Amino acid sequence: TVLEAESAEDALETLEDPALAVDVFVTDVIMPGMDGPTWVRQALKSRPDVRVVFVSGYAEGAFGDRPPQVPNSVFLPKPFSLSQLTETVHRQLH
């Protein structure tokens, strides 16, 4: 099951539901408002075991000077195919 959110703030609000099981976060690095690494750090405070897939069209310098210090995270550069995304998420699940 895939849950979508319009913004990082909306995603954090969705995660307030303790009955909601989440296995993987898939997020863009650069977004309006709160960026991907910032919202993931916030979300991991209440969901520390969730794995992360960061995506970005800016492979070079997507994270500024250095990648974010986010445990259990991987980076998938854009453009990617649906099968590449599926493979990456599957690897994060196992």
Side-chain angles (χ1 to χ4, degrees), residues 30-93:
I30 299 169
M31 303 184 297
M34 190 183 301
D35 65 26
T38 301
W39 99 255
V40 166
R41 282 189 202 95
Q42 284 291 106
L44 289 175
K45 289 178 182 178
S46 63
R47 311 248 180 181
D49 298 326
V50 176
R51 295 181 171 274
V52 181
V53 176
F54 286 109
V55 299
S56 180
Y58 304 99
E60 296 279 327
F63 297 107
D65 293 337
R66 59 185 172 78
Q69 303 301 309
V70 176
N72 300 315
S73 67
V74 296
F75 177 72
L76 179 63
K78 292 178 187 176
F80 51 81
S81 66
L82 180 56
S83 63
Q84 288 171 311
L85 175 60
T86 303
E87 253 179 60
T88 303
V89 169
H90 186 264
R91 280 195 312 267
Q92 284 296 81
L93 288 171

Side-chain angles (χ1 to χ4, degrees), residues 1-23:
T1 302
V2 175
L3 301 174
E4 294 182 46
E6 291 292 319
S7 68
E9 294 80 5
D10 287 348
L12 289 173
E13 188 175 311
T14 298
L15 292 174
E16 290 175 4
D17 179 355
L20 182 66
V22 178
D23 300 306

